[in-house]
Amino acid sequence: MPARSCASRRTVLRGAAAPVAGLALAACSSPDEGGSSSSAALESVDLGKESEVAKGGAKLYRDHNVVVSRDQDGGLKAYSTICTHAGCPINKLEGTTLICPCHGSRFDAVTGKVVAAPATEPLTELAVKADDGRIVAGPAN
């Protein structure tokens, strides 16, 4: 009997329709199945001007399923915005709180930590840097 797929038809179709531009994401296996409950980016992607992310703020890049935040010292952090609960792309950012449209999980865009269930695992951190005034995010090293 074939293994049951963890992605719903809706999730697969949504993923196929949304341009991911270099960030191939997978977020459906659980740690006890020998996989990872988080998503993994495979390639780096240029997200835009570094000036688009204010100190103490965050910016959601829906087309790339990435959120980038900047601390008060100017340091950047990036996380995958594929919800760790059911693999839904997160499409809403209020201040520095990400809100999943599927079941209402909330995540801190600065730390990646869960701030409201049903998700229990934090978002996957991505490598991020400023390169010649542009934000580039990709797989964690």
Side-chain angles (χ1 to χ4, degrees):
M1 183 165 155
R4 183 176 67 101
S5 171
C6 60
S8 71
R9 182 172 184 263
R10 180 181 301 154
T11 301
V12 171
L13 291 175
R14 186 181 313 135
V20 182
L23 289 182
L25 303 168
C28 62
S29 33
S30 67
D32 48 323
E33 291 174 340
S36 168
S37 65
S38 59
S39 57
L42 299 177
E43 295 180 26
S44 295
V45 63
D46 181 326
L47 296 172
K49 294 179 182 177
E50 183 182 3
S51 60
E52 293 177 343
V53 183
K55 286 184 180 181
K59 179 170 171 74
L60 176 61
Y61 296 90
R62 286 181 191 92
D63 290 348
H64 301 290
N65 295 319
V66 173
V67 66
V68 176
S69 64
R70 183 184 299 275
D71 63 26
Q72 292 300 330
D73 295 327
L76 297 171
K77 288 276 193 166
Y79 297 93
S80 165
T81 57
I82 300 299
C83 183
T84 58
H85 170 248
C88 296
I90 298 170
N91 63 3
K92 188 173 186 180
L93 177 66
E94 289 182 355
T96 58
T97 301
L98 292 159
I99 304 166
C100 181
C102 294
H103 302 107
S105 293
R106 292 175 180 250
F107 299 87
D108 183 329
V110 177
T111 65
K113 293 181 180 178
V114 176
V115 294
T120 59
E121 296 294 321
L123 296 172
T124 300
E125 187 169 354
L126 304 172
V128 64
K129 64 181 178 179
D131 186 13
D132 199 24
R134 313 267 314 157
I135 296 173
V136 178
N141 295 331

